Amino acid sequence: MNVILLGPPGAGKGTQATNICEKYSIPQISTGDMLRAAVKAGTPLGVEAKKVMDAGGLVSDDIIIGLVKERIQEDDCANGFLFDGFPRTIAQADALKTDGVKVDYVVEIPPKVEGIDDITGEELVQRADDNEDTVRSRLDVYHEQTQPLVDYYQSWMVEDDNAPKYGAANGVGSLDDVRDRVYTNLG
């Protein structure tokens, strides 16, 4: 089972990704982790990425897609994988599609109730490093870059029977309730 998990910062993707990976015995694949590992291992793509990062630039989609394609060939991906934080843009999604990387499910977790703890219903305490500007910036980036992926996958599913199945899981409620909604979208 190959899964893409979408949702804004704070929607509970990390928790649900862990649940999915444990239930289906698939690895959680993070492009950040892959970049760090490739740089550390000194692979050709890692060397290329390091040059870009050392110069203060953003690693190109070509390098990211190359790393993803290498990563999903590893033995632990034999039963599938879960993409965490990837794809972030339509260009990356198109590259996956063009390169024939099969994705079975795309699950979006809509945001939780802002400022309220899911379990206790109590008001959340703001962390010092999570000020309003930081959160607003992260949400703006999500809406500008990642939100269009929802439309992309919904449209693709309508046009093509072989497209990934798209579903949305309401992120409001207990962790178990959200988990069960996510599982419902996975076949």
Coordinates of all heavy atoms in Angstrom, one line a residue, residues 70-151:
E70 N 14.9 6.3 -5.5 CA 15.9 5.4 -4.9 C 15.4 4.8 -3.7 O 15.5 3.6 -3.4 CB 17.2 6.2 -4.6 CG 18.1 6.5 -5.8 CD 19.4 7.2 -5.4 OE1 19.6 7.5 -4.2 OE2 20.2 7.5 -6.3
R71 N 14.8 5.6 -2.8 CA 14.3 5.2 -1.5 C 13.3 4.1 -1.6 O 13.3 3.1 -0.8 CB 13.8 6.4 -0.7 CG 13.2 6.0 0.7 CD 14.3 5.5 1.6 NE 13.7 5.1 2.9 CZ 13.2 3.9 3.2 NH1 13.1 2.9 2.3 NH2 12.7 3.7 4.4
I72 N 12.3 4.3 -2.5 CA 11.2 3.3 -2.6 C 11.6 2.0 -3.2 O 10.8 1.0 -3.2 CB 10.0 3.9 -3.3 CG1 10.2 4.2 -4.7 CG2 9.4 5.1 -2.5 CD1 9.0 4.7 -5.5
Q73 N 12.9 1.9 -3.7 CA 13.4 0.6 -4.2 C 14.0 -0.2 -3.1 O 14.3 -1.4 -3.3 CB 14.5 0.9 -5.3 CG 13.9 1.6 -6.5 CD 12.8 0.8 -7.1 OE1 12.8 -0.4 -7.3 NE2 11.7 1.5 -7.4
E74 N 14.2 0.4 -1.9 CA 14.8 -0.4 -0.8 C 13.8 -1.5 -0.3 O 12.6 -1.4 -0.4 CB 15.2 0.6 0.4 CG 16.3 1.5 -0.1 CD 16.7 2.5 1.0 OE1 16.5 2.2 2.2 OE2 17.3 3.5 0.7
D75 N 14.4 -2.5 0.4 CA 13.7 -3.7 0.8 C 12.5 -3.4 1.7 O 11.4 -4.0 1.6 CB 14.6 -4.7 1.5 CG 15.6 -5.3 0.5 OD1 15.4 -5.2 -0.7 OD2 16.6 -5.9 1.0
D76 N 12.6 -2.4 2.6 CA 11.5 -2.1 3.5 C 10.3 -1.5 2.9 O 9.3 -1.4 3.5 CB 12.0 -1.2 4.7 CG 12.4 0.2 4.3 OD1 12.7 0.4 3.1 OD2 12.4 1.1 5.1
C77 N 10.4 -1.2 1.6 CA 9.2 -0.6 0.9 C 8.5 -1.7 0.0 O 7.6 -1.4 -0.7 CB 9.7 0.5 0.0 SG 10.2 2.0 0.8
A78 N 8.9 -3.0 0.2 CA 8.3 -4.0 -0.6 C 6.8 -4.1 -0.4 O 6.1 -4.4 -1.3 CB 8.9 -5.4 -0.2
N79 N 6.3 -3.8 0.8 CA 4.9 -3.8 1.1 C 4.2 -2.4 0.9 O 3.0 -2.3 1.1 CB 4.6 -4.3 2.5 CG 5.0 -5.7 2.7 OD1 4.8 -6.6 1.8 ND2 5.5 -6.0 3.8
G80 N 5.0 -1.4 0.5 CA 4.5 -0.1 0.4 C 5.2 0.9 1.2 O 6.3 0.6 1.8
F81 N 4.7 2.1 1.2 CA 5.3 3.2 1.9 C 4.3 4.3 2.2 O 3.2 4.3 1.6 CB 6.5 3.8 1.1 CG 6.1 4.1 -0.3 CD1 5.5 5.3 -0.6 CD2 6.4 3.2 -1.3 CE1 5.1 5.6 -2.0 CE2 6.1 3.5 -2.6 CZ 5.5 4.7 -3.0
L82 N 4.7 5.2 3.1 CA 3.8 6.4 3.4 C 4.7 7.6 3.2 O 5.8 7.7 3.8 CB 3.3 6.4 4.8 CG 2.4 7.5 5.1 CD1 1.2 7.1 6.0 CD2 3.1 8.6 5.9
F83 N 4.3 8.5 2.3 CA 5.0 9.8 2.1 C 4.6 10.8 3.1 O 3.4 11.1 3.2 CB 4.8 10.3 0.7 CG 5.5 9.6 -0.5 CD1 4.9 9.4 -1.6 CD2 6.8 9.3 -0.3 CE1 5.5 8.8 -2.7 CE2 7.5 8.7 -1.4 CZ 6.9 8.4 -2.5
D84 N 5.6 11.3 3.8 CA 5.4 12.3 4.8 C 6.0 13.6 4.4 O 7.2 13.7 4.2 CB 6.0 11.8 6.1 CG 6.0 12.9 7.2 OD1 5.2 13.8 7.2 OD2 6.8 12.7 8.2
G85 N 5.1 14.6 4.1 CA 5.6 15.9 3.6 C 6.1 15.9 2.2 O 6.9 16.7 1.7
F86 N 5.5 15.0 1.4 CA 5.9 14.9 0.0 C 4.7 14.2 -0.7 O 4.2 13.2 -0.2 CB 7.1 14.0 -0.2 CG 7.5 13.9 -1.6 CD1 8.2 14.8 -2.3 CD2 7.1 12.7 -2.3 CE1 8.6 14.7 -3.6 CE2 7.4 12.6 -3.7 CZ 8.2 13.6 -4.3
P87 N 4.3 14.6 -1.9 CA 4.8 15.8 -2.6 C 4.2 17.1 -1.9 O 3.2 17.1 -1.3 CB 4.2 15.7 -4.0 CG 3.0 14.8 -3.8 CD 3.3 13.9 -2.7
R88 N 5.0 18.2 -2.1 CA 4.6 19.5 -1.5 C 4.0 20.4 -2.6 O 3.3 21.3 -2.3 CB 5.7 20.2 -0.9 CG 6.2 19.6 0.4 CD 7.2 20.5 1.1 NE 7.8 19.9 2.3 CZ 7.2 19.9 3.5 NH1 6.0 20.4 3.7 NH2 7.8 19.3 4.5
T89 N 4.3 20.1 -3.8 CA 3.8 20.9 -4.9 C 3.2 20.1 -6.1 O 3.5 18.9 -6.2 CB 5.0 21.8 -5.5 OG1 5.9 20.9 -6.1 CG2 5.7 22.6 -4.4
I90 N 2.5 20.8 -7.0 CA 2.0 20.1 -8.2 C 3.1 19.6 -9.0 O 3.0 18.5 -9.6 CB 1.1 21.1 -9.0 CG1 -0.1 21.6 -8.1 CG2 0.6 20.5 -10.3 CD1 -1.1 20.5 -7.7
A91 N 4.2 20.3 -9.1 CA 5.3 19.9 -9.9 C 5.9 18.5 -9.4 O 6.2 17.6 -10.2 CB 6.4 20.9 -10.0
Q92 N 6.0 18.4 -8.1 CA 6.4 17.1 -7.5 C 5.4 16.0 -7.8 O 5.8 14.9 -8.1 CB 6.7 17.3 -6.0 CG 7.9 18.2 -5.8 CD 8.1 18.4 -4.3 OE1 7.3 18.1 -3.4 NE2 9.3 19.0 -4.0
A93 N 4.1 16.3 -7.6 CA 3.1 15.3 -7.9 C 3.1 14.9 -9.3 O 3.0 13.7 -9.6 CB 1.7 15.9 -7.5
D94 N 3.3 15.8 -10.3 CA 3.4 15.5 -11.7 C 4.6 14.6 -12.0 O 4.5 13.7 -12.8 CB 3.5 16.8 -12.5 CG 2.1 17.4 -12.9 OD1 1.1 16.6 -12.8 OD2 2.1 18.6 -13.2
A95 N 5.7 14.9 -11.3 CA 6.9 14.1 -11.5 C 6.7 12.7 -11.1 O 7.1 11.7 -11.8 CB 8.1 14.8 -10.8
L96 N 6.0 12.5 -9.9 CA 5.7 11.1 -9.5 C 4.9 10.4 -10.5 O 5.1 9.3 -10.9 CB 4.9 11.2 -8.2 CG 5.7 11.4 -6.9 CD1 4.7 11.4 -5.7 CD2 6.8 10.4 -6.7
K97 N 3.8 11.1 -11.0 CA 2.9 10.5 -12.0 C 3.7 10.2 -13.3 O 3.5 9.1 -13.8 CB 1.8 11.5 -12.2 CG 0.7 11.0 -13.1 CD -0.4 12.1 -13.2 CE -1.5 11.7 -14.1 NZ -2.5 12.8 -14.2
T98 N 4.5 11.1 -13.8 CA 5.2 10.9 -15.0 C 6.2 9.8 -14.9 O 6.4 9.0 -15.9 CB 5.9 12.2 -15.4 OG1 5.0 13.3 -15.6 CG2 6.8 12.1 -16.7
D99 N 6.8 9.7 -13.7 CA 7.8 8.6 -13.5 C 7.2 7.3 -13.2 O 7.9 6.3 -12.9 CB 8.8 9.1 -12.5 CG 9.8 10.2 -13.0 OD1 9.8 10.4 -14.2 OD2 10.5 10.7 -12.1
G100 N 5.9 7.2 -13.1 CA 5.2 6.0 -12.9 C 5.3 5.5 -11.4 O 5.1 4.3 -11.2
V101 N 5.5 6.4 -10.5 CA 5.5 6.0 -9.1 C 4.1 5.7 -8.7 O 3.3 6.7 -8.7 CB 6.2 7.0 -8.2 CG1 6.1 6.6 -6.7 CG2 7.7 7.2 -8.6
K102 N 3.7 4.5 -8.3 CA 2.3 4.2 -8.0 C 2.0 4.6 -6.6 O 2.7 4.3 -5.7 CB 2.1 2.7 -8.1 CG 0.7 2.2 -7.9 CD 0.4 0.8 -8.3 CE -0.9 0.3 -8.0 NZ -2.0 1.2 -7.8
V103 N 0.8 5.3 -6.5 CA 0.3 5.7 -5.3 C -1.1 5.2 -5.2 O -1.9 5.4 -6.1 CB 0.3 7.3 -5.1 CG1 -0.4 7.7 -3.9 CG2 1.7 7.9 -5.2
D104 N -1.4 4.5 -4.1 CA -2.8 3.9 -4.0 C -3.8 4.8 -3.4 O -4.9 4.8 -3.8 CB -2.7 2.6 -3.2 CG -1.8 1.6 -3.8 OD1 -2.0 1.2 -5.0 OD2 -0.8 1.2 -3.1
Y105 N -3.4 5.5 -2.3 CA -4.3 6.4 -1.6 C -3.7 7.7 -1.2 O -2.5 7.8 -0.9 CB -4.7 5.7 -0.3 CG -5.4 4.4 -0.4 CD1 -4.7 3.2 -0.3 CD2 -6.8 4.3 -0.8 CE1 -5.3 2.0 -0.5 CE2 -7.4 3.1 -0.9 CZ -6.7 2.0 -0.8 OH -7.3 0.8 -1.0
V106 N -4.5 8.7 -1.3 CA -4.1 10.1 -0.8 C -5.2 10.4 0.2 O -6.4 10.4 -0.1 CB -4.2 11.1 -2.0 CG1 -3.9 12.5 -1.4 CG2 -3.2 10.7 -3.1
V107 N -4.7 10.6 1.4 CA -5.7 10.9 2.5 C -5.3 12.3 3.1 O -4.2 12.6 3.4 CB -5.6 9.9 3.7 CG1 -6.6 10.2 4.8 CG2 -5.9 8.5 3.1
E108 N -6.3 13.2 3.1 CA -6.2 14.5 3.7 C -6.8 14.5 5.1 O -7.9 14.0 5.3 CB -6.9 15.5 2.8 CG -6.8 16.9 3.4 CD -7.8 17.9 2.7 OE1 -8.7 17.5 2.0 OE2 -7.6 19.1 2.9
I109 N -6.1 15.1 6.0 CA -6.6 15.2 7.3 C -6.9 16.7 7.5 O -6.1 17.6 7.6 CB -5.6 14.8 8.4 CG1 -5.3 13.3 8.3 CG2 -6.3 15.0 9.8 CD1 -4.3 12.8 9.3
P110 N -8.3 17.1 7.4 CA -8.6 18.5 7.6 C -8.3 18.9 9.1 O -8.1 18.1 10.0 CB -10.1 18.5 7.4 CG -10.4 17.4 6.5 CD -9.4 16.3 7.0
P111 N -8.1 20.2 9.3 CA -7.6 20.7 10.6 C -8.5 20.4 11.7 O -9.7 20.3 11.5 CB -7.4 22.2 10.3 CG -8.1 22.5 9.1 CD -8.3 21.3 8.3
K112 N -7.9 20.4 12.9 CA -8.6 20.2 14.1 C -9.2 21.6 14.5 O -9.0 22.6 13.8 CB -7.7 19.8 15.2 CG -7.0 18.5 14.9 CD -6.0 18.2 16.0 CE -5.2 17.0 15.6 NZ -4.1 16.7 16.5
V113 N -10.0 21.6 15.5 CA -10.5 22.9 16.0 C -9.3 23.7 16.6 O -8.6 23.2 17.4 CB -11.5 22.6 17.2 CG1 -12.0 24.0 17.8 CG2 -12.7 21.8 16.6
E114 N -9.1 24.9 16.1 CA -8.0 25.7 16.4 C -8.0 26.1 17.9 O -9.0 26.5 18.4 CB -8.0 27.0 15.6 CG -6.8 27.8 15.7 CD -6.7 29.0 14.8 OE1 -7.5 29.0 13.8 OE2 -6.0 30.0 15.1
G115 N -6.9 25.9 18.5 CA -6.7 26.3 19.9 C -7.3 25.4 21.0 O -7.3 25.7 22.2
I116 N -7.8 24.2 20.6 CA -8.5 23.3 21.5 C -7.8 22.0 21.5 O -7.6 21.4 20.4 CB -10.0 23.1 21.2 CG1 -10.7 24.5 21.2 CG2 -10.7 22.2 22.2 CD1 -10.7 25.2 22.5
D117 N -7.5 21.4 22.7 CA -6.9 20.1 22.8 C -7.9 19.0 22.3 O -9.1 19.1 22.8 CB -6.5 19.8 24.2 CG -5.8 18.5 24.3 OD1 -6.4 17.4 24.3 OD2 -4.5 18.5 24.5
D118 N -7.5 18.1 21.4 CA -8.5 17.1 20.9 C -9.0 16.2 22.0 O -10.2 15.8 21.9 CB -7.7 16.2 19.9 CG -7.6 16.9 18.5 OD1 -8.1 17.9 18.3 OD2 -6.9 16.2 17.7
I119 N -8.2 15.9 22.9 CA -8.6 14.8 23.9 C -9.3 15.5 25.1 O -10.4 15.0 25.4 CB -7.4 14.0 24.4 CG1 -6.8 13.3 23.1 CG2 -7.7 13.0 25.4 CD1 -5.4 12.7 23.4
T120 N -8.8 16.5 25.6 CA -9.3 17.1 26.9 C -10.4 18.2 26.6 O -11.2 18.5 27.5 CB -8.2 17.7 27.8 OG1 -7.7 18.8 27.1 CG2 -7.2 16.6 28.1
G121 N -10.3 18.8 25.4 CA -11.2 19.9 25.1 C -10.8 21.2 25.8 O -11.5 22.2 25.7
E122 N -9.6 21.2 26.4 CA -9.1 22.4 27.1 C -8.4 23.3 26.1 O -7.9 22.8 25.0 CB -8.1 22.0 28.2 CG -8.7 21.2 29.3 CD -7.7 20.6 30.3 OE1 -6.5 20.8 30.1 OE2 -8.1 20.0 31.3
E123 N -8.3 24.5 26.5 CA -7.6 25.5 25.6 C -6.1 25.1 25.6 O -5.5 24.8 26.6 CB -7.7 26.9 26.2 CG -7.3 28.0 25.2 CD -7.7 29.4 25.7 OE1 -8.7 29.5 26.3 OE2 -6.9 30.3 25.4
L124 N -5.5 25.2 24.4 CA -4.1 24.9 24.3 C -3.2 26.0 24.8 O -3.5 27.2 24.6 CB -3.7 24.6 22.8 CG -4.4 23.3 22.2 CD1 -4.1 23.2 20.7 CD2 -3.9 22.1 22.9
V125 N -2.0 25.6 25.3 CA -1.0 26.6 25.8 C -0.1 26.8 24.6 O 0.4 25.8 24.0 CB -0.3 26.1 27.0 CG1 0.8 27.1 27.4 CG2 -1.3 25.9 28.2
Q126 N 0.2 28.1 24.3 CA 1.1 28.4 23.2 C 2.5 28.2 23.6 O 3.0 28.7 24.6 CB 0.8 29.8 22.7 CG 1.6 30.2 21.5 CD 1.2 31.6 21.0 OE1 0.1 31.9 21.1 NE2 2.2 32.3 20.5
R127 N 3.3 27.4 22.8 CA 4.7 27.3 23.1 C 5.4 28.6 22.7 O 5.0 29.3 21.8 CB 5.3 26.2 22.2 CG 4.8 24.8 22.6 CD 5.4 23.7 21.8 NE 6.1 24.1 20.5 CZ 6.2 23.4 19.5 NH1 5.7 22.1 19.5 NH2 6.9 23.8 18.4
A128 N 6.5 28.8 23.3 CA 7.3 30.1 23.0 C 7.7 30.1 21.6 O 7.8 31.2 21.0 CB 8.5 30.2 24.0
D129 N 8.1 29.0 21.0 CA 8.6 29.0 19.6 C 7.5 28.8 18.6 O 7.7 28.7 17.4 CB 9.6 27.9 19.4 CG 9.0 26.5 19.6 OD1 8.0 26.3 20.3 OD2 9.6 25.5 19.0
D130 N 6.2 28.8 19.0 CA 5.1 28.6 18.2 C 4.2 29.9 18.2 O 3.0 29.8 18.5 CB 4.3 27.4 18.6 CG 4.0 26.5 17.4 OD1 4.4 26.8 16.3 OD2 3.3 25.5 17.7
N131 N 4.9 31.0 17.9 CA 4.1 32.3 18.0 C 3.2 32.4 16.8 O 3.3 31.7 15.8 CB 5.1 33.5 18.2 CG 6.0 33.6 17.0 OD1 5.5 33.6 15.8 ND2 7.3 33.8 17.2
E132 N 2.3 33.4 16.9 CA 1.3 33.6 15.8 C 1.9 33.7 14.5 O 1.4 33.2 13.5 CB 0.4 34.8 16.2 CG -0.7 35.0 15.2 CD -1.6 36.1 15.6 OE1 -1.5 36.6 16.8 OE2 -2.4 36.6 14.7
D133 N 3.0 34.5 14.4 CA 3.6 34.7 13.1 C 4.2 33.4 12.5 O 4.0 33.2 11.3 CB 4.7 35.8 13.2 CG 4.2 37.2 13.4 OD1 3.0 37.4 13.2 OD2 5.0 38.0 13.9
T134 N 4.8 32.6 13.3 CA 5.3 31.3 12.8 C 4.2 30.4 12.3 O 4.3 29.8 11.2 CB 6.1 30.6 13.9 OG1 7.1 31.5 14.4 CG2 6.7 29.3 13.5
V135 N 3.2 30.3 13.1 CA 2.0 29.4 12.7 C 1.4 29.9 11.5 O 1.1 29.2 10.5 CB 1.0 29.3 13.9 CG1 -0.2 28.6 13.4 CG2 1.7 28.6 15.1
R136 N 1.2 31.2 11.4 CA 0.5 31.9 10.2 C 1.4 31.6 9.0 O 0.9 31.3 7.9 CB 0.3 33.3 10.5 CG -0.6 34.0 9.4 CD -0.9 35.5 9.7 NE -1.4 35.7 11.0 CZ -2.6 35.5 11.4 NH1 -3.5 35.0 10.6 NH2 -3.0 35.7 12.6
S137 N 2.7 31.7 9.1 CA 3.6 31.5 8.0 C 3.5 30.1 7.5 O 3.4 29.8 6.3 CB 5.0 31.9 8.4 OG 5.9 31.5 7.4
R138 N 3.5 29.1 8.4 CA 3.5 27.7 8.1 C 2.1 27.4 7.4 O 2.1 26.6 6.4 CB 3.6 26.8 9.3 CG 5.1 26.9 9.9 CD 5.2 26.2 11.2 NE 4.9 24.7 11.1 CZ 4.5 24.0 12.1 NH1 4.2 24.5 13.3 NH2 4.2 22.7 11.9
L139 N 1.0 28.0 7.9 CA -0.3 27.7 7.3 C -0.3 28.4 5.9 O -0.9 27.8 5.0 CB -1.4 28.3 8.2 CG -1.6 27.4 9.4 CD1 -2.6 28.1 10.3 CD2 -2.2 26.0 9.0
D140 N 0.2 29.6 5.7 CA 0.3 30.2 4.4 C 1.0 29.4 3.4 O 0.5 29.2 2.3 CB 0.9 31.6 4.5 CG 0.0 32.7 5.2 OD1 -1.2 32.4 5.4 OD2 0.6 33.7 5.6
V141 N 2.2 28.8 3.8 CA 2.9 28.0 2.9 C 2.1 26.8 2.5 O 2.0 26.4 1.4 CB 4.3 27.6 3.5 CG1 4.9 26.4 2.7 CG2 5.2 28.8 3.6
Y142 N 1.4 26.2 3.5 CA 0.6 25.0 3.2 C -0.5 25.4 2.2 O -0.7 24.7 1.2 CB -0.1 24.5 4.5 CG -1.1 23.4 4.2 CD1 -0.8 22.1 3.8 CD2 -2.5 23.7 4.2 CE1 -1.7 21.2 3.5 CE2 -3.4 22.8 3.9 CZ -3.0 21.5 3.5 OH -4.0 20.6 3.1
H143 N -1.2 26.4 2.5 CA -2.3 26.8 1.6 C -1.9 27.2 0.2 O -2.5 26.8 -0.8 CB -3.2 27.9 2.2 CG -4.0 27.5 3.3 ND1 -5.0 26.6 3.2 CD2 -3.9 27.8 4.7 CE1 -5.5 26.3 4.4 NE2 -4.9 27.1 5.3
E144 N -0.7 27.8 0.0 CA -0.2 28.2 -1.3 C 0.3 27.0 -2.0 O 0.1 26.9 -3.3 CB 0.9 29.2 -1.1 CG 0.4 30.6 -0.6 CD 1.6 31.5 -0.3 OE1 2.7 31.2 -0.6 OE2 1.3 32.5 0.4
Q145 N 1.0 26.1 -1.4 CA 1.7 25.0 -2.1 C 1.0 23.7 -2.0 O 0.9 23.0 -3.0 CB 3.1 24.9 -1.6 CG 4.0 26.0 -1.9 CD 5.5 25.8 -1.4 OE1 5.7 24.8 -0.7 NE2 6.4 26.6 -1.8
T146 N 0.6 23.3 -0.8 CA 0.1 21.9 -0.7 C -1.4 21.8 -0.9 O -1.8 20.8 -1.4 CB 0.5 21.4 0.7 OG1 1.9 21.7 1.0 CG2 0.2 20.0 0.9
Q147 N -2.2 22.8 -0.5 CA -3.6 22.7 -0.7 C -4.0 22.4 -2.1 O -4.9 21.6 -2.4 CB -4.3 24.0 -0.2 CG -5.8 24.0 -0.4 CD -6.5 22.9 0.4 OE1 -6.1 22.6 1.5 NE2 -7.6 22.4 -0.1
P148 N -3.3 23.0 -3.1 CA -3.6 22.7 -4.5 C -3.5 21.2 -4.9 O -4.1 20.7 -5.8 CB -2.7 23.5 -5.3 CG -2.4 24.7 -4.5 CD -2.3 24.1 -3.1
L149 N -2.7 20.4 -4.1 CA -2.6 19.0 -4.3 C -3.9 18.3 -4.0 O -4.2 17.3 -4.7 CB -1.5 18.4 -3.4 CG -0.1 18.8 -3.8 CD1 0.9 18.4 -2.6 CD2 0.3 18.2 -5.1
V150 N -4.7 18.8 -3.1 CA -6.0 18.2 -2.9 C -6.8 18.2 -4.2 O -7.4 17.2 -4.6 CB -6.7 18.9 -1.7 CG1 -8.2 18.4 -1.6 CG2 -6.0 18.7 -0.4
D151 N -6.9 19.4 -4.8 CA -7.6 19.5 -6.0 C -7.0 18.7 -7.1 O -7.7 18.0 -7.9 CB -7.6 21.0 -6.5 CG -8.3 21.9 -5.5 OD1 -9.2 21.5 -4.8 OD2 -7.8 23.1 -5.4

